[in-house]
Amino acid sequence: QVQLVESGGGLVQAGGSLRLSCAASGRTFSTYNMGWFRQAPGKEREFVAAIMWSVGITHIADSVKGRFTISRDNANNTVYLQMSSLKPEDTAVYYCAAGRGVDVRTEYRYWGQGTQVTVSS
């Protein structure tokens, strides 16, 4: 069992930066792939970034490539999403997830409650 709690969301102006954190509980955290997804009002939840459990390989969605990075600290059971050059279209609820997949939502078993990110123009 893995429990996930996101933090770090908020209101930021376009061009600004935010760092989201996801604190995980559970002894098996380090064996799961960790992903970030987001959901804007009226839209499907979409993949943002993932980091593999074994060698730390990352996958980044094309829509945020070059602006967002994902990292993890297995010793502290935490995964981060560093977001830079934010745009109004990045506004969404951001969710942290743990599972065996990469960029497919249904491959993730555990989800956090989400954190709101709002980017003003």
Side-chain angles (χ1 to χ4, degrees):
Q1 186 82 8
V2 176
Q3 294 182 326
L4 306 171
V5 179
E6 303 97 334
S7 61
L11 173 64
V12 63
Q13 289 187 334
S17 299
L18 279 177
R19 188 177 79 157
L20 305 184
S21 299
C22 175
S25 63
R27 293 177 297 173
T28 59
F29 167 79
S30 62
T31 67
Y32 283 96
N33 297 337
M34 298 299 297
W36 285 96
F37 289 74
R38 67 185 182 185
Q39 188 166 18
K43 294 187 176 182
E44 295 288 321
R45 191 171 299 188
E46 65 174 0
F47 169 75
V48 176
I51 185 165
M52 304 300 99
W53 73 272
S54 58
V55 294
I57 293 173
T58 62
H59 301 266
I60 308 294
D62 288 342
S63 59
V64 302
K65 194 167 291 183
R67 301 187 296 120
F68 290 13
T69 59
I70 185 171
S71 61
R72 68 189 294 165
D73 181 351
N74 286 340
N76 291 301
N77 284 7
T78 304
V79 63
Y80 304 96
L81 183 69
Q82 178 67 49
M83 307 185 293
S84 303
S85 301
L86 283 161
K87 304 175 182 180
E89 50 264 44
D90 294 319
T91 295
V93 177
Y94 283 72
Y95 296 91
C96 174
R100 304 300 182 191
V102 178
D103 58 357
V104 178
R105 177 175 55 84
T106 54
E107 294 176 337
Y108 285 82
R109 181 174 182 181
Y110 301 105
W111 292 85
Q113 81 290 349
T115 186
Q116 176 70 46
V117 172
T118 303
V119 184
S120 63
S121 57

